[in-house]
Amino acid sequence: HDALPIWNVVRLLDQGEVKVGHRLGEEVADGAPYLVMEYMPRGSLAPLRGRLGGQELIEVCQDVLAALAHAHAHALIHRDVKPANLMRDAHGRVCLADFGLAWRPTSLLAGGPLAGTPNYIRLEILDNEVLGPYSDLYALGCTLWALVTGQAPFAGRGVREVLRAHLREAPGDFRPLVDVPAGFEAWLRILMAKAPRDRFQRAADAMASLGDVAPDVVRVRE
């Protein structure tokens, strides 16, 4: 439908369980749960890796930060921010999808169960750190890195090597394939700092700093 998304999050429209005799492309067990989500006709940002730059890049940053701010305000850590989970509606606005791994951190369990996509995960759990909004911001940094350079910062390695690199290695040379605003790399590297205390602590902090990177395009979108 044509309604604008709320807070840049793909909306849940309905849910239920599959009844006997229903078929959804292939045989589905009776009682299997289903979700009906808002239609995103322009698909995910995954095909745009290495092709997203300039004003469009900054507007994507705005949209995703708005979505994360909304989730974090409800004490939810998404835990799987990546290009495939950033969807575009008919208006071109980017919305955050797939809250299947979302988690509410507590002081009783440091990092929570290990979950996420290796190329875009910050393993606070292995450093005995509590997950927080800064964890999603690290994943956003890896996502933006992929969107402007063509691949995630530690892509091309085995899973164990990728996880180890997230913990111990700084990203290598930043080589965008598209034009990016002056100061964008420095902003991006704050998102991707190894220690949570060295990152932006909230999406609002990252948004405010983004205004210094590209003041002409960072604004509340109408």
Side-chain angles (χ1 to χ4, degrees):
H1 54 81
D2 293 330
L4 288 174
I6 298 175
W7 297 111
N8 297 90
V9 173
V10 177
R11 287 179 288 182
L12 173 65
L13 303 178
D14 196 10
Q15 59 184 324
E17 295 182 352
V18 175
K19 304 302 181 183
V20 173
H22 287 195
R23 296 177 65 90
L24 302 177
E26 58 183 20
E27 194 66 34
V28 178
D30 181 40
Y34 69 83
L35 302 175
V36 179
M37 309 298 293
E38 182 178 13
Y39 179 48
M40 296 282 117
R42 295 179 62 177
S44 82
L45 297 188
L48 297 182
R49 282 174 294 190
R51 299 167 51 195
L52 193 67
Q55 178 169 328
E56 186 179 22
L57 169 66
I58 299 301
E59 291 180 351
V60 166
C61 293
Q62 289 180 267
D63 287 346
V64 182
L65 288 169
L68 290 175
H70 182 63
H72 297 161
H74 290 78
L76 286 174
I77 309 303
H78 187 277
R79 297 201 304 167
D80 202 18
V81 178
K82 59 185 178 182
N85 284 339
L86 302 181
M87 310 293 292
R88 277 183 161 168
D89 70 1
H91 306 275
R93 188 176 301 229
V94 175
C95 300
L96 182 60
D98 193 354
F99 280 73
L101 297 180
W103 186 70
R104 283 188 168 91
T106 72
S107 59
L108 300 179
L109 189 60
L114 181 59
T117 303
N119 280 331
Y120 305 97
I121 194 173
R122 173 57 189 150
L123 297 180
E124 255 76 61
I125 185 173
L126 295 186
D127 272 352
N128 198 32
E129 299 277 358
V130 176
L131 283 173
Y134 42 76
S135 305
D136 281 343
L137 293 178
Y138 179 91
L140 174 60
C142 294
T143 295
L144 295 173
W145 186 289
L147 291 175
V148 299
T149 70
Q151 63 179 9
F154 306 116
R157 311 185 190 185
V159 172
R160 288 188 178 183
E161 289 73 20
V162 168
L163 300 183
R164 187 179 300 111
H166 280 302
L167 282 170
R168 306 296 177 224
E169 292 184 27
D173 293 339
F174 182 63
R175 296 176 179 172
L177 302 178
V178 290
D179 292 334
V180 298
F184 182 78
E185 179 184 355
W187 180 83
L188 183 60
R189 288 186 183 275
I190 295 174
L191 289 178
M192 300 174 63
K194 294 303 176 186
R197 65 180 179 275
D198 294 333
R199 295 177 220 150
F200 299 112
Q201 295 300 291
R202 296 172 295 274
D205 300 329
M207 180 74 84
S209 182
L210 187 63
D212 296 330
V213 172
D216 293 336
V217 296
V218 176
R219 59 190 181 276
V220 176
R221 295 177 66 186
E222 297 178 356

